[in-house]
Amino acid sequence: MATSLKIDDALKSRVQHLASQRRRSSHWIMLEAIRQYVEREEAREGFRQEALAAWAAYQETGRHVTGQEARAWLNTWGTGEEKAAPECHK
């Protein structure tokens, strides 16, 4: 699918310069930038949706793990005494 973008001369020059340094086309540089931006924003939106769902579940049930419990659990990661995730409670 062909799409056109209007960019100012300064940005166009920067893209061309970077493309030359990377031995890539300007087209490739722009596609890669857009791909990375979209992936990052999709991940950010996914995280946001998970947080909203977790907040809704907490409001509904009151079940949670305290920050101290989570830190204590995480501090065992990668050790010989790694513990299971703490249980949610009210």
Side-chain angles (χ1 to χ4, degrees), residues 49-64 88-90:
Q49 292 300 320
E50 285 179 27
L52 290 171
W55 176 243
Y58 169 74
Q59 288 179 309
E60 185 178 314
T61 67
R63 295 177 54 77
H64 67 284
C88 289
H89 54 82
K90 287 192 176 210

Side-chain angles (χ1 to χ4, degrees), residues 4-70:
S4 64
L5 298 171
K6 292 188 182 208
I7 59 175
D8 61 50
D9 291 339
L11 182 55
K12 182 177 180 179
S13 178
R14 290 171 60 197
V15 169
Q16 288 172 336
H17 180 71
L18 184 59
S20 175
Q21 289 179 321
R22 298 290 188 262
R23 296 183 182 186
R24 297 284 189 169
S25 67
S26 294
H27 176 83
W28 187 92
I29 296 291
M30 290 184 283
L31 283 176
E32 182 65 12
I34 292 168
R35 184 191 61 74
Q36 287 182 20
Y37 174 82
V38 169
E39 286 178 2
R40 184 176 58 246
E41 291 304 309
E42 286 173 339
R44 182 176 289 158
E45 183 59 25
F47 178 74
R48 183 179 162 285
Q49 292 300 320
E50 285 179 27
L52 290 171
W55 176 243
Y58 169 74
Q59 288 179 309
E60 185 178 314
T61 67
R63 295 177 54 77
H64 67 284
V65 172
T66 67
Q68 184 177 2
E69 291 166 333

Side-chain angles (χ1 to χ4, degrees), residues 75-90:
N75 285 336
T76 69
W77 284 17
T79 70
E81 299 173 15
E82 192 168 311
K83 296 189 178 355
E87 293 290 325
C88 289
H89 54 82
K90 287 192 176 210

